[in-house]
C-alpha cells in the first residue's frame, strides 16, 4: 500500500536523532510478569506514602496543620490585627479627624464625624467607627495617619459576632484597646503652628 506523503516515519532502535528534530528513545516492553504488573514501582510508591504517613502521625515532621484554637501559630512581628485608637498623655484621643484614613481605606469601612475641640486649633472625632467585617486588613489607614492615632498592633483578630452590627467598633471600643503614644503629632512637633 502506498504511504501517505506526510506520514510520520517509524524510528528504528539505535537510530540517532538528527539535529533540529525531536529524538525518540525506544523503550522495550517489560518482560517478566513482575515487571508487567509494575509491582516494584507500586511498592516503592507505597513506601513513600507510608514513610510520610508515619512521619506525620508519630513524629509530625512534615505537618503544617495547626490544631486551632488549642494550638496557635506565632504571629509575625508585623501582624496586622484589630484596630485601636491611641491617646495623648492627658487621655484625649490623638485623632484630629483629618479624614486621611477613610480616604485611603479601599473598603470604605471607616466612618468619622468630626467636631471642634473648642481650642480653636484642632478637630477630634465625635464618631469614629470601623466595620471590622468589611475591613480587608490592608493597613493603609495606619500608613495614612500623620498622628500615630490608629494602629493595628493589638495582636488580636476581629472577634466572631452573631449580629452584623456587633462587628462595628466605635470610638469607645477602639480607645479601650488603645494606649498612650508620644509620637510627634504631624511629624513636626506640637508647636508647629506657632512656628509658622
Ligand atoms: S486596614 Fe485597610 S480596609 Fe481595614 S480599615 Fe484600614 S484601610 Fe480600611
Ligand atoms: S488619619 Fe489618623 S488623625 Fe486622620 S482621621 Fe484617621 S486616625 Fe484620625
Amino acid at each position: 500500500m502506498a504511504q501517505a506523503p506526510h506520514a510520520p516515519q517509524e524510528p528504528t532502535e539505535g537510530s540517532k536523532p538528527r539535529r533540529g528534530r525531536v529524538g525518540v528513545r525506544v523503550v522495550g516492553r517489560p518482560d517478566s510478569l513482575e515487571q508487567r504488573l509494575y509491582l516494584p514501582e507500586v511498592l516503592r510508591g507505597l513506601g513513600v506514602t507510608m514513610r510520610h504517613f508515619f512521619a506525620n502521625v508519630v513524629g509530625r515532621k512534615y505537618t503544617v496543620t495547626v490544631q486551632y484554637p488549642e494550638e496557635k501559630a506565632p504571629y509575625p512581628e508585623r501582624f496586622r490585627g484589630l484596630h485601636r485608637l491611641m491617646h495623648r498623655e492627658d487621655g484625649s484621643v490623638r485623632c484630629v479627624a483629618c479624614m486621611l484614613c477613610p480616604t485611603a481605606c479601599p473598603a470604605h469601612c471607616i466612618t468619622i464625624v468630626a467636631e471642634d475641640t473648642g481650642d480653636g486649633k484642632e478637630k477630634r472625632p465625635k464618631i469614629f467607627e470601623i466595620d471590622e467585617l468589611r475591613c480587608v486588613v490592608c493597613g493603609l489607614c495606619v500608613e495614612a495617619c500623620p498622628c500615630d492615632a490608629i494602629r493595628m498592633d493589638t495582636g488580636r483578630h476581629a472577634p466572631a459576632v452573631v449580629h452584623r452590627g456587633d462587628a462595628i467598633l466605635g470610638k469607645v471600643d477602639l480607645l479601650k484597646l488603645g494606649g498612650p503614644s508620644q509620637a510627634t503629632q504631624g511629624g513636626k512637633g506640637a508647636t508647629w503652628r506657632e512656628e509658622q
Side-chain angles (χ1 to χ4, degrees):
M1 201 169 92
Q3 201 176 11
H6 299 297
Q9 300 237 327
E10 278 294 318
T12 55
E13 194 160 358
S15 63
K16 287 186 183 169
R18 285 165 60 183
R19 183 174 293 186
R21 292 194 163 195
V22 176
V24 177
R25 188 161 65 92
V26 180
V27 178
R29 290 190 173 279
D31 296 329
S32 66
L33 178 65
E34 181 191 286
Q35 281 178 326
R36 273 184 276 155
L37 290 174
Y38 295 99
L39 264 180
E41 300 310 317
V42 170
L43 292 175
R44 195 172 297 143
L46 278 176
V48 173
T49 305
M50 296 314 285
R51 194 174 72 236
H52 282 275
F53 175 75
F54 285 112
N56 285 333
V57 169
V58 180
R60 304 193 61 193
K61 189 176 172 188
Y62 308 110
T63 310
V64 291
T65 309
V66 174
Q67 303 299 321
Y68 188 85
E70 288 81 17
E71 279 177 49
K72 285 179 186 160
Y75 290 134
E77 207 173 297
R78 298 177 68 189
F79 166 74
R80 293 193 288 263
L82 210 57
H83 297 82
R84 62 181 184 145
L85 277 179
M86 308 303 287
H87 50 76
R88 300 191 180 102
E89 282 171 2
D90 63 1
S92 61
V93 64
R94 284 185 68 90
C95 174
V96 293
C98 68
M99 300 293 174
L100 281 177
C101 58
T103 305
C105 178
H108 305 296
C109 59
I110 305 177
T111 306
I112 299 174
V113 175
E115 69 177 358
D116 263 336
T117 54
D119 65 0
K121 291 180 181 174
E122 286 186 341
K123 292 181 292 175
R124 67 183 169 211
K126 185 178 176 192
I127 295 171
F128 194 117
E129 288 179 348
I130 300 182
D131 187 342
E132 296 290 347
L133 275 187
R134 286 184 70 175
C135 171
V136 294
V137 202
C138 64
L140 287 178
C141 50
V142 179
E143 295 291 326
C145 182
C147 305
D148 187 31
I150 185 167
R151 291 193 192 175
M152 298 179 77
D153 57 355
T154 47
R156 294 163 56 173
H157 290 290
V161 291
V162 177
H163 302 291
R164 184 73 182 72
D166 295 342
I168 299 173
L169 297 186
K171 191 170 95 172
V172 176
D173 310 309
L174 294 164
L175 275 170
K176 268 188 209 159
L177 292 166
S181 165
Q182 277 84 42
T184 307
Q185 189 101 12
K188 289 187 174 179
T191 57
W192 67 274
R193 283 192 180 84
E194 286 77 5
E195 291 162 13
Q196 297 299 305

